[in-house]
Amino acid sequence: MLSKSNSKSKITIFRCLFVILLITNSYGQNTTYNQFWNELQFNQTLSKKWATEIDFAAAYSSSESSPNLFENTIQRSIRGWGHYYFSPRWKLSAFVAYFSNRDVPEIGQFESPEWRFALQGIYYFHKTGYTLSTRMRTEYRHIKNDDDQYENVFRYRQQIKYIQPINSKFLRSGVVYAIASDELYFKSGANVTGESFFDRNRFNIGAGYLFTDDFQVELTYCNEYLPRNNGNQTTNAASLTISFNNFFRNLKKKIEAKKHPEVKDEE
């Protein structure tokens, strides 16, 4: 059983996230969009300290005239990561990504290709029965505006995330887990993304399942609030994330096992 102090900590965390969500929704809202985000993640372990990752993502959105969340394909992206596990509590990362933005409500109804670079650090508060982490990310965005000119935008993101295994004390194969997170965005001013310093607040809640230690699926609901000079925007999004660990290495092992079944028999 979890201690009383752990139970109190979890209650406090949920209260903080709930208050943030209430504050987010207390502002005047002019436009609301329904969206669907999906992402495929392929992680590859190189050593005890190093790992790489490549992500493929797409986003779909409703429009002001239609509530259908698949009305428009608004964004596609590919992102390459490098991860360094500095210690059991610190994970340091960097990525380079290309985003094909099209009809993104927050940017505008025009083609807006974007190159994005980022540095990131995650600090983990390991607790018995749950995990709490805080993520710090600095992004450099090189993005085209509606005058076909590229603008540079610097953005800082601060996230707090809570993960609670449901049918086990630890995350492992066969475990269902709950997720809750909140993230604040701050940015430099630009014509393409707006002049406001506070960019947005993103609240996520949902669940995931580890089919194996190398394959997991997460389904979450996201409420995102974006204050803008020409009208505030709220996004309600369903998000699906599928993650594979060492996919190609495991696939190679399976192929070799089928080609040489006698090796397994001898073992």
Side-chain angles (χ1 to χ4, degrees):
M1 296 179 64
L2 296 177
S3 65
K4 291 183 179 179
S5 60
N6 282 344
S7 298
K8 290 181 179 179
S9 298
K10 289 191 291 183
I11 292 172
T12 301
I13 292 166
F14 279 118
R15 282 177 177 173
C16 290
L17 291 173
F18 182 69
V19 169
I20 291 172
L21 179 61
L22 287 179
I23 294 173
T24 294
N25 285 303
S26 65
Y27 291 93
Q29 300 169 356
N30 294 358
T31 308
T32 299
Y33 293 94
N34 302 315
Q35 296 185 359
F36 177 75
W37 308 336
N38 67 289
E39 184 171 346
L40 280 174
Q41 301 177 347
F42 295 90
N43 302 284
Q44 183 71 40
T45 302
L46 301 180
S47 66
K48 291 183 179 181
K49 290 286 188 179
W50 290 95
T52 59
E53 179 183 338
I54 186 168
D55 304 336
F56 302 92
Y60 308 88
S61 178
S62 64
S63 63
E64 293 188 33
S65 60
S66 172
N68 180 9
L69 58 92
F70 293 101
E71 180 74 14
N72 296 317
T73 301
I74 61 172
Q75 187 183 75
R76 296 185 186 277
S77 66
I78 180 172
R79 178 167 49 185
W81 289 87
H83 300 294
Y84 176 65
Y85 296 86
F86 179 76
S87 71
R89 291 188 178 274
W90 276 104
K91 177 183 176 182
L92 306 177
S93 306
F95 76 69
V96 57
Y98 177 76
F99 287 77
S100 175
N101 299 310
R102 180 178 182 180
D103 293 337
V104 178
E106 65 177 281
I107 296 175
Q109 310 303 306
F110 57 89
E111 296 277 355
S112 180
E114 171 188 354
W115 286 97
R116 190 179 300 182
F117 308 88
L119 296 175
Q120 174 178 288
I122 301 178
Y123 184 80
Y124 296 93
F125 302 87
H126 296 293
K127 302 293 183 180
T128 302
Y130 69 94
T131 297
L132 182 67
S133 65
T134 181
R135 185 180 75 186
M136 298 143 281
R137 181 189 295 180
T138 301
E139 296 177 331
Y140 166 73
R141 305 175 68 188
H142 188 62
I143 181 170
K144 183 184 286 188
N145 60 29
D146 55 354
D147 294 323
D148 288 334
Q149 301 293 323
Y150 277 89
E151 293 187 84
N152 297 322
V153 180
F154 292 91
R155 186 165 67 179
Y156 177 75
R157 300 166 57 168
Q158 183 71 52
Q159 182 198 71
I160 184 169
K161 185 175 183 179
Y162 177 84
I163 298 178
Q164 171 72 62
I166 303 299
N167 55 331
S168 173
K169 290 185 178 181
F170 306 99
L171 293 176
R172 55 181 175 79
S173 176
V175 170
V176 178
Y177 56 94
I179 312 163
S181 69
D182 194 82
E183 187 169 17
L184 298 174
Y185 292 61
F186 304 92
K187 65 175 178 61
S188 61
N191 291 331
V192 67
T193 58
E195 297 296 334
S196 59
F197 173 68
F198 176 62
D199 185 36
R200 71 191 67 192
N201 182 86
R202 177 179 289 182
F203 176 82
N204 275 284
I205 190 166
Y209 180 70
L210 284 133
F211 288 88
T212 70
D213 292 336
D214 293 324
F215 174 49
Q216 68 188 81
V217 174
E218 291 182 357
L219 181 62
T220 61
Y221 160 74
C222 174
N223 177 275
E224 191 173 67
Y225 168 73
L226 298 85
R228 294 294 184 265
N229 294 333
N230 58 350
N232 301 330
Q233 176 184 314
T234 299
T235 298
N236 296 305
S239 177
L240 175 65
T241 302
I242 302 174
S243 301
F244 297 91
N245 295 321
N246 300 311
F247 176 80
F248 298 104
R249 184 180 299 166
N250 293 336
L251 181 61
K252 182 179 179 181
K253 287 181 180 179
K254 289 183 179 180
I255 293 174
E256 290 179 348
K258 289 183 178 180
K259 288 183 178 179
H260 308 284
E262 67 278 0
V263 175
K264 185 176 181 180
D265 294 337
E266 291 175 1
E267 293 176 353

